[in-house]
Each structure stands twice: as C-alpha cells, then as structure tokens.
Amino acid sequence: MIRVEELSFKYAGAKEYSLRDISFRVKKGEFLGVLGASGSGKSTLCLTFNGIIPHSIRGDFEGNVFVKGYNTREASVAELSKIVGLVLQNPDSQLFNMTVEEEVAFALENLGLDVEEIKRRIHWALKITGLEGLEKEFPPNLSGGQKQRLVIASVLAVKPEVLVLDEPTSQLDPIGREQVLSLITLLNKEQGITIVLVEHNTEYLFDFADRIIVLDRGEVVMEGKPREVFEEADYLRKLGIKIPVSVKIGAELKRKGLLQKAALSDEELIEALNALLKS
C-alpha cells in the first residue's frame, strides 16, 4: 500500500535534513506504529504520504514515496487524498464549518458526489465514529475527543484506504484518548483500513500495532514487531521514548537474570511474577 524508497527531505532554508535515506513498506491492512522523540522527523514523514510534501511544502526532496502504486511526486494532493486520509494533532486546526454534518459533507461536496450519496456517507461516518445524533451541533462545543473523532469522520467519509494519524491524542484527556484509540483499533481490525499512527502511548502500540518503526534524527534506526522493538528497552529509553510499564518491569527483571524476555504484556508479566514467587 505504501512504499518509501531512499527518502530524504530538507525544508527550504533549513541546514539539516529532517528525513535521511528512509526506506520501508506498509502492507494493505497493516497497522504501523511510528515512534521517535520530538524532532525525529515523524510529522514530516506523515506529510509525504499524501503529497503535501513535496507539492505544498517545498524543500529538497530526494527518493520516492509510492501510495497504491502512485508516485507522490507525480500524483496531486487531491488525487492522493482519495487514498490517504491525514489526521493531525490539533483537531481545531482541521474544523471550520458551522455544524457537524456540514464538516463531514465538505470534502464530499468538493468531490462532486450526489446528495443522496453524501447523506449516506455522512450517516455511515458519524455512526462508526460514535457521533450519530450530533449532526446539528456546533463543532467548537464538542469535547476534545469528539472533535478528533469528527476530524476522523470527515476523513473517513471520503473512503480512504489508508489513515495516517500524527499524534491524534496528544491534546486529549484520558477519556478522549481512549475514545480515539478504540476507534483506530476498530477501523483497522474491523474495517481493514491501513493505519500509520504516530503515538506516544507505547502501551497501545505494544498491544495493537502489527509493526513499529523508530525514527531518530530523521533516520529509521529500528523496525520490527512490537515485541522485537520493545525488547531493546534500554536503547529506546536513550532515544527518549517512553517504555510500557510492563516492559520496564520486565527489563529490570531480565537485567537481574530472573527473566529471559523483557517485552511482556501486562498479563504475561503477572504470570511471570506469580511463577517467580512460587519458585
């Protein structure tokens, strides 16, 4: 679904490259988590998937990004937006209509869809995001979690095959965070939408991501399944990445020679601790 080949990018006027010789692939229906400290290039990478970089944001762009076979150098942002939906950190920056249903309808009207199809898609998008019944609500009156789910509903209505989310829960309270993360899981597991998620909630990525890439200073420094990546807990900590609590405890027990593996789920850690107490 996504193929990144030797991608490097430097913003116009910048001295350093934000992305350096990055290559990886994302399969159809896969859930890819992206980790990295602030300034590692995560947001820049997200903007390359729907062509905002290099078409709208200029700079030195090297290598290629292919989305469903389309080279983002050649396909327009409008074309790519039908395949890739992008959700940013701050939902307020993506909401500008007077009602919830107008917000979801905006992109559909720009696609030139007929009225009945627009109504069907609005109903589906609001239902799947848990916003049904709020059609006439003024978006600024919504909670943080509802606003972010409205942004996702607006993107989903276009029926993209890939959803790219750049720290969508960073400005939400715990309830809003749980609502958005549960929705992302549903979209991936039940709707089959390919997910690329930049997220600091490493517990969530450990449990639900199929694969994780780790960025540091614009380079991919690790790539693998969550258990493979989080097994290197000490290295991730040096990069400034938060470690899941269960992995943190597992790593300490591994250092003391009490466990062979550090990357354990909560349930596996409890079982391991019970076994140690009995031994």
Side-chain angles (χ1 to χ4, degrees):
M1 185 59 74
I2 297 175
R3 188 167 83 250
V4 180
E5 297 181 344
E6 299 176 346
L7 171 65
S8 295
F9 182 74
K10 180 172 67 172
Y11 288 96
K15 295 181 180 180
E16 301 290 336
Y17 276 83
S18 295
L19 301 175
R20 306 169 187 267
D21 196 27
I22 289 178
S23 297
F24 65 91
R25 298 188 179 200
V26 184
K27 297 177 182 178
K28 181 177 175 60
E30 188 174 19
F31 186 154
L32 178 72
V34 182
L35 288 174
S38 178
S40 62
K42 306 184 299 297
S43 295
T44 301
L45 179 63
C46 288
L47 295 174
T48 68
F49 295 135
N50 68 349
I52 290 178
I53 293 176
H55 295 298
S56 300
I57 298 176
R58 301 291 181 174
D60 296 333
F61 186 95
E62 301 166 16
N64 293 288
V65 177
F66 295 91
V67 177
K68 203 180 178 183
Y70 292 94
N71 191 324
T72 60
R73 287 178 177 271
E74 301 166 0
S76 68
V77 175
E79 290 173 315
L80 293 168
S81 67
K82 297 176 184 178
I83 305 170
V84 180
L86 178 64
V87 177
L88 304 176
Q89 296 179 29
N90 184 359
D92 290 318
S93 69
Q94 292 183 271
L95 299 174
F96 48 87
N97 284 284
M98 295 302 293
T99 68
V100 165
E101 65 180 357
E102 287 176 359
E103 193 67 53
V104 180
F106 181 79
L108 303 178
E109 291 169 347
N110 286 328
L111 289 176
L113 301 179
D114 64 66
V115 174
E116 289 306 313
E117 178 62 16
I118 289 175
K119 287 181 179 177
R120 281 193 292 271
R121 293 200 186 192
I122 290 173
H123 175 74
W124 173 79
L126 294 180
K127 184 175 182 180
I128 201 169
T129 54
L131 297 174
E132 196 174 20
L134 298 177
E135 288 83 356
K136 304 301 181 183
E137 192 67 50
F138 184 41
N141 290 342
L142 301 177
S143 68
Q146 288 174 326
K147 288 179 183 178
Q148 196 62 286
R149 284 185 285 143
L150 176 55
V151 172
I152 294 173
S154 302
V155 171
L156 287 178
V158 181
K159 298 288 183 78
E161 297 179 60
V162 181
L163 192 58
V164 178
L165 305 104
D166 183 11
E167 298 187 29
T169 68
S170 63
Q171 299 189 24
L172 303 182
D173 60 25
I175 294 174
R177 188 179 305 123
E178 179 61 32
Q179 291 173 340
V180 171
L181 293 177
S182 295
L183 173 60
I184 293 168
T185 305
L186 180 148
L187 295 173
N188 177 244
K189 306 306 180 188
E190 296 186 17
Q191 298 293 318
I193 295 175
T194 304
I195 299 290
V196 178
L197 174 65
V198 176
E199 175 61 47
H200 289 298
N201 186 330
T202 51
E203 281 87 358
Y204 175 75
L205 292 179
F206 182 87
D207 289 336
F208 293 104
D210 297 313
R211 195 160 49 92
I212 291 173
I213 63 171
V214 180
L215 295 179
D216 181 45
R217 298 178 185 179
E219 298 181 19
V220 174
V221 293
M222 290 186 74
E223 179 179 355
K225 294 180 179 180
R227 289 176 184 272
E228 296 169 344
V229 170
F230 285 113
E231 193 63 36
E232 305 299 325
D234 290 339
Y235 177 60
L236 293 175
R237 198 177 287 112
K238 289 178 182 177
L239 296 179
I241 295 171
K242 177 177 171 283
I243 308 300
V245 173
S246 62
V247 177
K248 190 182 297 184
I249 296 171
E252 186 62 31
L253 293 173
K254 182 181 177 181
R255 268 192 293 272
K256 294 180 178 180
L258 297 173
L259 292 179
Q260 292 184 328
K261 295 283 186 180
L264 302 176
S265 67
D266 291 345
E267 294 78 9
E268 290 167 338
L269 178 62
I270 291 170
E271 288 182 12
L273 291 172
N274 285 333
L276 288 173
L277 289 171
K278 292 177 182 177
S279 63

